[in-house]
Amino acid sequence: MINPDYLIDYSDWFDEGGYCQVYPIKDKKDMVFKEFRNKKKAQESYKYHKKLAKFDLAPKIYSKICKLKFAPEDELYQPEPSDWGYITELAKTQPANGKISMTDIQYLVDEIYSKTGLKFWDCHWYNVGLVSRDKKKKVVCIDTGKESFDANSNAWANPDPGPKCCYCKKYNCKCED
């Protein structure tokens, strides 16, 4: 099903991950379309995303699974519609050691587990982002694919998910000094 209410603005920017691409929505600066390789991947991600968004641990979701058309850039070429995906709130990502601290990431990991029972293993800087809530920045999970909740994707190689030291359970540990 093609959602007729939105268009992908391919002329602006896009971001690419291992299983999805993220595109801006034309004339909606705070919304993005997460496009996946196939419908099954989109459905898996949507399921996790919806569960996390219910507790404000992921960006808001604005559509069901759908396809979108690309906004025309000229009269000569009109690309095919997108693959399957869904529309979400834009979350700003930060470079490693940017504004999102290891403590912020660990807090998110702990909140995800306590509120949903999910273990967010692939919790590195590029899989979390910032959204605005009550004029404050909030760290949320932006990689909601099934692989992010699989222990084989252990981003920090600790016995439990997150960047804390596996020996002393502290953030920014000094054990090796």
Side-chain angles (χ1 to χ4, degrees):
M1 171 198 110
I2 296 176
N3 185 327
D5 298 328
Y6 303 96
L7 294 171
I8 294 172
D9 188 357
Y10 192 63
S11 67
D12 194 357
W13 61 269
F14 80 96
D15 197 4
E16 195 168 20
Y19 291 96
C20 81
Q21 295 187 110
V22 178
Y23 296 104
I25 302 293
K26 185 152 185 77
D27 301 324
K28 304 286 184 185
K29 67 179 184 122
D30 294 330
M31 298 169 103
V32 296
F33 181 70
K34 290 181 76 170
E35 177 194 48
F36 296 83
R37 295 178 186 172
N38 56 53
K39 191 173 184 178
K40 181 180 177 188
K41 290 278 185 202
Q43 289 169 327
E44 289 171 347
S45 177
Y46 183 84
K47 179 182 80 170
Y48 285 106
H49 197 135
K50 188 174 179 182
K51 187 173 192 174
L52 295 171
K54 176 180 175 183
F55 297 101
D56 203 24
L57 300 170
K60 295 174 186 172
I61 297 175
Y62 296 116
S63 77
K64 295 190 182 291
I65 304 292
C66 63
K67 292 184 176 188
L68 293 184
K69 289 185 177 179
F70 288 83
E73 292 185 41
D74 60 45
E75 296 174 13
L76 300 175
Y77 176 69
Q78 177 60 44
E80 294 290 318
S82 71
D83 280 323
W84 293 96
Y86 55 94
I87 299 167
T88 76
E89 173 184 23
L90 172 65
K92 303 281 185 174
T93 56
Q94 303 293 313
N97 297 319
K99 294 178 183 175
I100 300 173
S101 71
M102 289 173 41
T103 303
D104 293 334
I105 293 172
Q106 188 63 53
Y107 181 78
L108 175 63
V109 167
D110 294 342
E111 284 291 291
I112 288 172
Y113 184 70
S114 72
K115 292 183 177 174
T116 69
L118 295 171
K119 290 187 174 186
F120 180 30
W121 289 98
D122 201 17
C123 54
H124 56 81
W125 279 283
Y126 296 105
N127 284 346
V128 299
L130 294 170
V131 295
S132 291
R133 298 289 185 265
D134 300 321
K135 298 181 182 179
K136 293 180 182 177
K137 297 293 182 189
K138 177 175 178 54
V139 178
V140 293
C141 172
I142 61 170
D143 187 341
T144 58
K146 181 172 82 170
E147 69 285 348
S148 284
F149 304 97
D150 181 337
N152 291 324
S153 297
N154 189 343
W156 300 94
N158 290 326
D160 292 309
K164 64 184 171 281
C165 171
C166 61
Y167 299 107
C168 68
K169 305 292 186 211
K170 293 180 183 174
Y171 313 109
N172 299 320
C173 159
K174 305 277 187 220
C175 286
E176 296 190 18
D177 291 344

